[in-house]
Amino acid sequence: MRVEIENPREKCYQCKKSKSTCICKHVRPIKTKTRFVILMHPKEARKEKNGTGYMTNLQLENSEVIVGVDFSENKRVNEILNNEDNSAFLLYPGNDNFNLSVKNSTEINAFFDKTPHIFILDGTWPCARKMLRLSTNLQTLKRVSFDNEIKSKFIIKQQPEPLCLSTIESVYTVINLLKTAKFETCNTDSFLLPFEKMIEQQIACILDPNNKNHYRPNKNPTIAPKNMYKKASERNIIFEENR
């Protein structure tokens, strides 16, 4: 029997990364009634295609990515907001949020009464806060949130608080809550698979003594348990009030 050996130098046509490290083969797009609009900070857009915002877009048929910082005059964003057939929401913490974790099925289905579009700010928390502060058209949107009961699997990236999840983890949580409310019916069993595979690859790179790339920070690396978060003085996170 002939065994095909993957050429580590061969590039994936989609993400342009080495086929040995790309996550495209693990992508299983799902179709949702809700459209997810990923507003991506330019710093995230300049990163490799394995960013969790890009992953989320790949995993969702009904989604799009818009890159920018101030979306006040963004043609596509305003096109969505000005369409009377749409209902638009911002996934972001704040006062008077519509909390999907505590609302029942009737309340959720009534809340998403038209074609729902959920905007997501994809960037670090300081970048996301700046995007919201500058984007006056986003400030007036109804906000949705959820009670986070899980800890992020993004163990190689420091988060400011235990409740902070990556973009793909946040969307996964939202979709599952909408499924519980019978608003969505898609299968999310493999939704996080590309993300989990990326984490596996990054951990392998860190622990490989022969690896020389940027994922390996020192000569004797270890993977610390993700149970400590930066103090407020080290990384400030402020959840702005709704306006």
Side-chain angles (χ1 to χ4, degrees):
M1 181 178 69
R2 181 180 178 183
V3 178
E4 294 290 338
I5 300 177
E6 194 171 62
N7 182 355
R9 294 186 177 180
E10 190 175 357
K11 300 290 185 179
C12 169
Y13 76 93
Q14 186 169 2
C15 70
K16 309 305 180 184
K17 291 176 64 67
S18 167
K19 282 192 174 182
S20 63
T21 59
C22 87
I23 49 86
C24 296
K25 53 183 172 288
H26 304 297
V27 171
R28 304 287 186 275
I30 63 174
K31 188 170 183 59
T32 57
K33 291 168 57 178
T34 308
R35 186 165 185 80
F36 291 89
V37 185
I38 303 164
L39 303 179
M40 186 178 293
H41 193 279
K43 289 183 179 179
E44 292 295 320
R46 287 194 291 267
K47 292 181 180 179
E48 298 173 346
K49 295 293 185 180
N50 278 6
T52 64
Y54 281 118
M55 273 186 214
T56 307
N57 180 230
L58 290 174
Q59 286 289 69
L60 293 170
E61 291 184 16
N62 194 11
S63 69
E64 61 186 289
V65 173
I66 305 174
V67 179
V69 179
D70 182 356
F71 296 92
S72 301
E73 304 298 330
N74 184 278
K75 181 179 178 181
R76 175 56 183 153
V77 171
N78 287 322
E79 178 182 291
I80 296 171
L81 297 180
N82 294 330
N83 188 330
E84 294 182 355
D85 294 327
N86 295 338
S87 55
F89 312 94
L90 178 67
L91 182 64
Y92 198 85
N95 293 338
D96 301 322
N97 276 18
F98 187 85
N99 190 332
L100 295 171
S101 299
V102 301
K103 300 295 185 180
N104 60 39
S105 178
T106 301
E107 290 172 317
I108 289 175
N109 280 271
F111 186 71
F112 294 107
D113 58 337
K114 297 181 181 180
T115 305
H117 288 64
I118 296 181
F119 287 88
I120 302 156
L121 301 177
D122 182 52
T124 63
W125 280 100
C127 286
R129 197 178 69 191
K130 180 178 180 180
M131 292 161 75
L132 180 56
R133 176 171 55 81
L134 295 177
S135 304
T136 55
N137 52 350
L138 301 180
Q139 295 171 11
T140 59
L141 294 181
K142 296 179 182 178
R143 296 189 191 177
V144 295
S145 64
F146 54 84
D147 292 337
N148 182 21
E149 298 179 351
I150 67 174
K151 193 174 290 186
S152 176
K153 294 182 180 180
F154 216 163
I155 63 174
I156 68 166
K157 182 177 180 180
Q158 183 69 64
Q159 303 286 7
E161 296 286 346
L163 56 82
C164 297
L165 300 178
S166 65
T167 297
I168 194 168
E169 291 172 307
S170 296
V171 171
Y172 171 77
T173 303
V174 168
I175 295 174
N176 282 334
L177 287 169
L178 294 178
K179 285 177 61 180
T180 300
K182 309 299 182 184
F183 187 82
E184 295 286 0
T185 58
C186 52
N187 187 335
T188 56
D189 289 350
S190 61
F191 189 77
L192 291 180
L193 183 60
F195 177 66
E196 293 166 347
K197 292 298 182 181
M198 180 194 73
I199 298 299
E200 288 178 10
Q201 292 172 4
Q202 292 177 344
I203 291 174
C205 286
I206 291 174
L207 298 179
D208 183 1
N210 297 314
N211 182 49
K212 305 299 182 182
N213 72 15
H214 61 283
Y215 285 131
R216 193 165 189 273
N218 53 56
K219 295 181 179 179
N220 298 299
T222 58
I223 304 297
K226 194 177 179 71
N227 55 10
M228 296 297 291
Y229 295 85
K230 291 186 177 182
K231 298 177 181 178
S233 59
E234 295 174 342
R235 183 172 184 181
N236 187 30
I237 173 172
I238 300 175
F239 296 156
E240 299 179 13
E241 296 184 359
N242 293 37
R243 297 187 180 183

